[in-house]
Amino acid sequence: MEIRELNEGDLGSLIKLYEQLDGRNGDFAVEDARTIWMDEIKGNPNIKYFGAVEDTAEGQKVVSTCFCAIIPNLTRLGGAICFVENVVTDEAFRKQGLGKKVMEKAIEFAREKNCYKVILESGAWRTEAHQFYRNLGFDDGAKKSFLLKLKEY
C-alpha cells in the first residue's frame, strides 16, 4: 500500500471510490473528471488529492482519499488555510488506519504551505467519521459551519 499524491492516472479509480462517499456522484464520467483535472487541478500547487493506493491485478486502486485546497489569507500574519473535503475510505479497507495516514499527509501538506489551520466539513449524520476527526485532533466545537447549496445533486 502506498500513501501518495494522486495523479491523472488515478482518476478512474478515484471516481469509482467517490461513489461510496455519499451516493451523489451519479454518472460523473472519468472524461469529465479528466477535463476538470487538466483545466483546474493539474499544475495548481494549492490543490492536492492524496490517497492510499493498492496494487491489484487490474492495476492501481485508490482505496482511501482526501482533497486539499490551500486558501491564501490576509489575517493571522498571512497564514494560509487548508480546506479538506471528500474524505472517504473504501468499505473493504476501513478500520486499517488508511484514512488516518491520508489525513496525516494532508496535514503535512498544510504545514509545508504555512497554514495556520486545517478545516473540514463532514455530513452532520456521519457521527463515526466525526469521532475519527476528533481522534486526529480536530475540534468540532471551535467554529460553526454554515452551508449555502447553490446546486442540488
Side-chain angles (χ1 to χ4, degrees), residues 22 67 71 74 82 91 93 99 153:
D22 63 8
F67 157 80
I71 305 164
L74 296 177
C82 178
E91 292 170 352
F93 291 85
Y153 292 100

Side-chain angles (χ1 to χ4, degrees), residues 15 25-35:
I15 296 305
N25 216 32
D27 295 325
F28 189 57
V30 174
E31 295 77 29
D32 294 333
R34 185 166 282 109
T35 298

Side-chain angles (χ1 to χ4, degrees), residues 102-118:
V102 169
M103 287 294 294
E104 287 171 344
K105 192 86 169 157
I107 293 166
E108 176 185 326
F109 175 61
R111 284 191 176 104
E112 290 170 4
K113 288 294 200 167
N114 195 36
C115 293
Y116 86 95
K117 70 178 177 180
V118 177

Side-chain angles (χ1 to χ4, degrees), residues 1 19 78 82 85 91:
M1 189 77 59
E19 292 173 10
C82 178
E85 184 66 87
E91 292 170 352

Side-chain angles (χ1 to χ4, degrees), residues 30-86:
V30 174
E31 295 77 29
D32 294 333
R34 185 166 282 109
T35 298
I36 294 169
W37 188 274
M38 298 305 289
D39 292 349
E40 305 292 336
I41 298 168
K42 184 177 179 178
N44 185 334
N46 289 329
I47 298 176
K48 300 286 182 191
Y49 283 75
F50 295 108
V53 182
E54 173 157 279
D55 286 322
T56 69
E58 296 82 36
Q60 293 196 315
K61 177 181 178 180
V62 179
V63 297
S64 184
T65 190
C66 74
F67 157 80
C68 303
I70 304 299
I71 305 164
N73 182 35
L74 296 177
T75 65
R76 307 290 178 163
L77 302 174
I81 300 163
C82 178
F83 181 73
V84 174
E85 184 66 87
N86 300 331

